[in-house]
Amino acid sequence: MHQHGSFMPPLLGDVFCQCRSAETHPGVDPGGGGVHAEDPPSASSSKPVTRQPLAGDWPLDSDQAPHPCDICGGPEQEHRLKVLFQVLDVNGDGGICINDLTIGLKKLGVHRTEHELMKIVKAGDKDLDGQLDFEEFVHYLRDHEKKLRLVFKSLDKKNDGRIDSQEIMQSLRDLGVNISEEQADKILKSMDKNGTMMIDWNEWRDYHLLHPADNIPEIILYWKHSTIFDVGESLMVPDEFTAEEKKTGMWWRHLVAGGGAGAVSRTCTAPLDRLKVIMQVHASKSNSMRMAGGFSQMIREGGVRSLWRGNGINVIKIGPESAIKFMAYEQIKRLIGSNQETLGITERLVAGSLAGAIAQSSIYPMEVLKTRLALRRTGQFSGILHCAKHIFQKEGVAAFYKGYVPNMLGIIPYAGIDLAVYETLKNAWLQRYATDSANPGVFVLLACGTTSSTCGQLASYPLALVRTRMQGQATLEGGPQMTMSGLFRHIIRTEGATGLYRGLAPNFMKVIPSVSISYVVYEHLKITLGVQSR
């Protein structure tokens, strides 16, 4: 919740849709434009004061409206937007740049930091020319106002068209932050123009109108891109925790619940994961290994239990990887100088990728062990330590970092595409389907997270395959020990581009069961550990 900035003067309050005709309200301050619900009508006047309609004065409930109006873009609003655009277009060149916004808003008595103004221009600048033309300006304000309305409705727990201190406290509690009634009153006062200690839609909108859209807390709360939905691979962007969760120690309970969920889901889908590794290393044009053949070969060689080879180390590495990633992410956030609780997309990509790289570097020998154990023959190793000792004695320390370079290179396309797809799906849902709340529900969140993660995997899959082949090269008797570039060339030459996607079918087959299982287990573990739902 923003607790800084000034309110917009009447000009900004008048630029939006005024579809409703003037209404009569008792106890209205004609100068301030707000309804004073508690003020009795003046004794000297028997008639109610006529209230002039203000910005966004369409009703919150459809049954109150003579006709629907979702920022309808009628001729009156178009005129008002043009007036505002002309005021902000200080140099009259048909575009609003950061300098124009700074000067224009100061004229209107509105103060925003340069960082906030840069975010506004960046959010609306579709043609990337560094300024907003009239069409971009209108599109940005309409889109932003829709998001503000969603947040207002989600805060308005009583559904009476106003927000009071109790509703502020409840909403912040949902975000994991507990504040006193005195603090809630302070927040209200910063937005309350008419002294009623209740915020109506006009006051809410006027306060937040030219704040960047990605600072809206409820949308951030519902759409956090969480990493608890384990698909058996490392998700690069760690879960973010509120200041209250860090203070009270709730964060480690979330991590434990997420780790437990990952352990169960990985164990349930381990046969598909082992099949993927075998197909990545052994499948070729000559043997054309298929899924059914791969499963029957594994069972024939080592029995049903062999389907879970390599799963032990895969589960063990969840703990250290999650903890290192979380701690690295927090430190990187401090280093890049972010004082926000939630980062922007670019910052999240940088911080998440770096945290992922640090965590992967720390536990990479365990990745190599997992691949070797998954590829082992019956009776070859008695356990994890025996396997580690064997690799160290035969191949030296360097063997524990085979495939490290393609693994690190795979982090950027994975994290970048994962975040980009997630943000695109989120914005598409908010634009088309969000009506009363920014909360999309569990199913939509799972679907968006799964889709974005799958797209990220697809983009980085060739690098993941080369990494696995490099890790497992020593298991191929008499096989050449190739470099990353040599292996790429060899696969393309002998198998074609499809050779870079061996094992893709079992990899994608485990995504939906992994996500479903990890979600169900995570929810149960949260209850057991006493974690509040966010």
Side-chain angles (χ1 to χ4, degrees), residues 2 48 155-156 181 196 219 233-235 305 356 382 384 401 439 519 528:
H2 300 291
L155 287 169
D156 182 17
E181 194 161 355
T196 60
I219 292 176
E233 307 292 327
S234 297
L235 293 180
R305 278 188 67 188
S382 59
I384 296 168
Y401 281 89
N439 184 2
Y519 174 73
T528 307

Side-chain angles (χ1 to χ4, degrees), residues 101-282:
L101 270 181
T102 307
I103 298 166
L105 287 175
K106 271 183 185 170
K107 280 184 188 173
L108 297 171
V110 178
H111 301 281
R112 293 285 176 263
T113 66
E114 189 178 350
H115 180 65
E116 286 173 331
L117 296 177
M118 281 170 66
K119 278 191 167 186
I120 290 167
V121 172
K122 193 176 175 185
D125 185 17
K126 301 299 178 191
D127 56 10
L128 304 177
D129 63 352
Q131 59 181 10
L132 304 179
D133 59 31
F134 181 65
E135 192 179 326
E136 290 171 332
F137 178 71
V138 170
H139 183 272
Y140 170 77
L141 286 182
R142 285 179 180 164
D143 178 58
H144 188 33
E145 185 142 341
K146 180 176 180 182
K147 289 178 180 174
L148 287 174
R149 176 169 291 285
L150 289 174
V151 177
F152 185 86
K153 285 190 175 185
S154 65
L155 287 169
D156 182 17
K157 309 288 184 192
K158 296 173 190 166
N159 205 27
D160 60 357
R162 281 170 176 66
I163 301 168
D164 59 28
S165 59
Q166 292 301 317
E167 288 168 321
I168 294 271
M169 289 168 71
Q170 179 59 50
S171 296
L172 286 173
R173 259 199 301 273
D174 293 343
L175 279 161
V177 180
N178 289 307
I179 63 167
S180 66
E181 194 161 355
E182 191 181 339
Q183 289 170 308
D185 287 343
K186 200 173 176 184
I187 292 170
L188 273 182
K189 277 177 188 169
S190 69
M191 286 183 263
D192 181 24
K193 287 192 283 190
N194 54 22
T196 60
M197 287 308 286
M198 296 179 93
I199 306 302
D200 62 19
W201 160 241
N202 296 321
E203 291 170 320
W204 170 263
R205 189 224 41 253
D206 287 355
Y207 184 73
H208 288 288
L209 187 61
L210 282 174
H211 268 293
D214 61 356
N215 285 335
I216 298 173
E218 255 58 24
I219 292 176
I220 290 171
L221 167 68
Y222 290 128
W223 285 94
K224 273 187 179 177
H225 191 0
S226 177
T227 59
I228 58 125
F229 309 129
D230 192 288
V231 291
E233 307 292 327
S234 297
L235 293 180
M236 298 305 164
V237 184
D239 203 1
E240 292 182 355
F241 300 102
T242 64
E244 187 71 12
E245 283 168 335
K246 289 171 195 166
K247 191 177 168 185
T248 58
M250 278 292 167
W251 64 270
W252 70 260
R253 297 187 196 190
H254 277 288
L255 286 181
V256 169
V264 174
S265 73
R266 288 185 187 193
T267 301
C268 291
T269 57
L272 284 165
D273 193 61
R274 187 181 178 217
L275 179 61
K276 177 194 78 173
V277 171
I278 289 171
M279 289 177 77
Q280 284 179 332
V281 175
H282 294 301

Side-chain angles (χ1 to χ4, degrees), residues 373-410:
L373 287 163
L375 294 169
R376 80 184 189 270
R377 297 182 304 278
T378 301
Q380 188 177 359
F381 304 121
S382 59
I384 296 168
L385 290 175
H386 183 213
C387 178
K389 190 178 174 185
H390 175 84
I391 294 170
F392 178 70
Q393 287 173 345
K394 294 277 183 186
E395 303 168 58
V397 176
F400 289 105
Y401 281 89
K402 280 187 176 175
Y404 177 78
V405 174
N407 186 69
M408 290 298 114
L409 291 175

Side-chain angles (χ1 to χ4, degrees), residues 433-447:
Y433 303 110
T435 50
D436 293 328
S437 171
N439 184 2
V442 169
F443 179 76
V444 173
L445 281 178
L446 285 177

Side-chain angles (χ1 to χ4, degrees), residues 57 165 286 326 447 476 488 526:
D57 242 2
S165 59
S286 55
F326 169 68
L476 302 171
F488 264 115
K526 278 205 310 184

Side-chain angles (χ1 to χ4, degrees), residues 493-507:
R493 191 173 60 250
T494 58
E495 303 175 51
T498 53
L500 294 170
Y501 289 89
R502 299 274 179 206
L504 192 65
N507 183 66

